[in-house]
């Protein structure tokens, strides 16, 4: 079963409040990713976990945190949401960091008001 | 840096007409991997095609693409569009085989097929 699940599907948040998005996969994949997608823009890699090692992109380093308490689960945390965080957040996994194919979840649409 | 450029915005086609979505890329590496991902409404994006072999046609689900390193292109084609092909299509680049974790996506092309 090639399934990546994301919760919730839609999320409303207030400016300045924290946001926590959740992703899980049942494929025992080593690597999990978080992408941010805004309209008419390319999906942007925010960070990825290879096993327990977190890699964050330099330009979003301070804006997003993540945790991976076990192989199946990965969260994306925003400490203080701003209007610019409104976007679709896509979680993906791959069997390892050298794997060619990403398996995506259906995304969480975050709206910050 | 590495980049991917796709046909911009929305492409509207009449059912039965051929599909061609453009994708060009830039990278300093000589052996890139190119991908097409498709994102249907209310579903998860999924891999449609991939290739790393120059001038070799790759096909899946009626779609095909050929990586041309000479022109840095990986255009997506289909001979006859179907209503069910309406979706958002992403072209993506992995500059090397050493790490696919650094996929670079294009901005996406939205394909709308109408009767």
């Amino acid at each position: 079963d090639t399934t990546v699940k994301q919760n919730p599907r839609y999320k409303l948040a207030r400016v300045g409040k924290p946001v926590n998005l959740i992703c899980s996969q049942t494929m025992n994949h080593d690597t999990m990713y978080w992408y941010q997608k805004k309209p008419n823009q390319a999906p942007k890699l925010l960070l990825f976990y290879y096993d327990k090692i977190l890699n964050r992109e330099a330009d979003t380093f301070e804006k997003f945190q993540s945790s991976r308490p076990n192989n199946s689960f990965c969260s994306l945390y925003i400490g203080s949401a701003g209007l610019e965080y409104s976007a679709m957040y896509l979680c993906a996994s791959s069997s390892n960091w050298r794997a060619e194919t990403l398996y995506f979840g259906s995304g969480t649409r975050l709206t910050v008001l | 840096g590495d980049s991917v450029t796709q046909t911009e915005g929305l492409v509207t086609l009449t059912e039965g007409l051929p599909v061609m979505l453009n994708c060009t890329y830039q990278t300093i590496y000589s052996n890139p991997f190119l991908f097409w991902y498709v994102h249907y409404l209310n579903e998860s994006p999924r891999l449609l095609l991939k290739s790393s072999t120059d001038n070799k046609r790759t096909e899946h689900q009626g779609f095909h693409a050929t990586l041309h390193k000479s022109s840095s292109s990986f255009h997506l084609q289909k001979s006859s569009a179907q209503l069910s092909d309406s979706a958002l299509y992403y072209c993506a680049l992995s500059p090397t085989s050493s790490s696919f974790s650094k996929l670079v996506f294009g901005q996406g092309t939205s394909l709308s097929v109408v009767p």
Side-chain angles (χ1 to χ4, degrees):
Chain A
D1 181 21
T2 54
T3 300
V4 178
K5 293 186 178 178
Q6 291 187 242
N7 286 298
R9 192 68 182 266
Y10 299 94
K11 177 87 173 175
L12 198 60
R14 295 292 182 186
V15 170
K17 298 297 185 183
V19 176
N20 197 44
L21 307 180
I22 294 170
C23 178
S24 64
Q25 50 90 10
T26 56
M27 298 169 280
N28 200 33
H29 282 173
D30 281 344
T31 310
M32 295 184 74
Y33 310 79
W34 281 100
Y35 284 85
Q36 181 191 64
K37 173 73 174 79
K38 294 185 176 182
N40 301 317
Q41 295 184 21
K44 177 182 172 56
L45 178 66
L46 300 176
L47 52 89
F48 69 95
Y49 264 100
Y50 172 58
D51 195 14
K52 290 180 170 51
I53 300 170
L54 175 61
N55 297 270
R56 287 187 285 178
E57 291 296 287
D59 57 344
T60 56
F61 190 86
E62 295 181 349
K63 294 184 177 181
F64 299 93
Q65 296 284 342
S66 183
S67 66
R68 192 178 186 189
N70 55 60
N71 178 270
S72 301
F73 179 94
C74 187
S75 67
L76 181 70
Y77 180 76
I78 301 167
S80 176
L83 296 176
E84 70 277 14
Y85 287 88
S86 291
M88 171 74 81
Y89 288 86
L90 292 166
C91 176
S93 70
S94 63
S95 56
N96 59 67
W97 62 278
R98 291 178 64 99
E100 296 174 10
T101 303
L102 297 185
Y103 296 89
F104 283 90
S106 53
T108 294
R109 186 171 295 281
L110 173 66
T111 302
V112 182
L113 301 174
Chain B
D2 303 311
S3 66
V4 174
T5 302
Q6 295 183 232
T7 303
E8 283 196 20
L10 174 66
V11 173
T12 302
L13 282 176
T14 302
E15 188 179 15
L17 290 181
V19 178
M20 179 145 167
L21 304 183
N22 289 338
C23 172
T24 56
Y25 64 89
Q26 284 189 313
T27 180
I28 62 171
Y29 295 95
S30 58
N31 294 304
F33 281 69
L34 272 295
F35 306 82
W36 277 100
Y37 279 83
V38 59
H39 191 180
Y40 296 103
L41 190 63
N42 296 323
E43 295 185 14
S44 307
R46 63 174 185 261
L47 181 67
L48 180 60
L49 291 172
K50 62 183 178 183
S51 181
S52 60
T53 306
D54 199 14
N55 298 318
K56 181 179 178 182
R57 174 170 161 148
T58 182
E59 299 189 38
H60 186 61
Q61 295 184 330
F63 287 90
H64 63 92
T66 302
L67 175 60
H68 291 297
K69 292 183 181 180
S70 60
S71 57
S72 299
S73 67
F74 191 58
H75 305 320
L76 183 67
Q77 299 182 67
K78 188 177 184 184
S79 59
S80 176
Q82 298 177 295
L83 297 176
S84 57
D85 294 329
S86 296
L88 185 55
Y89 292 81
Y90 293 105
C91 184
L93 161 74
S94 178
T96 74
S97 61
S98 62
S99 171
F100 292 101
S101 59
K102 293 292 188 178
L103 272 187
V104 176
F105 283 89
Q107 77 275 28
T109 301
S110 184
L111 176 65
S112 176
V113 182
V114 298

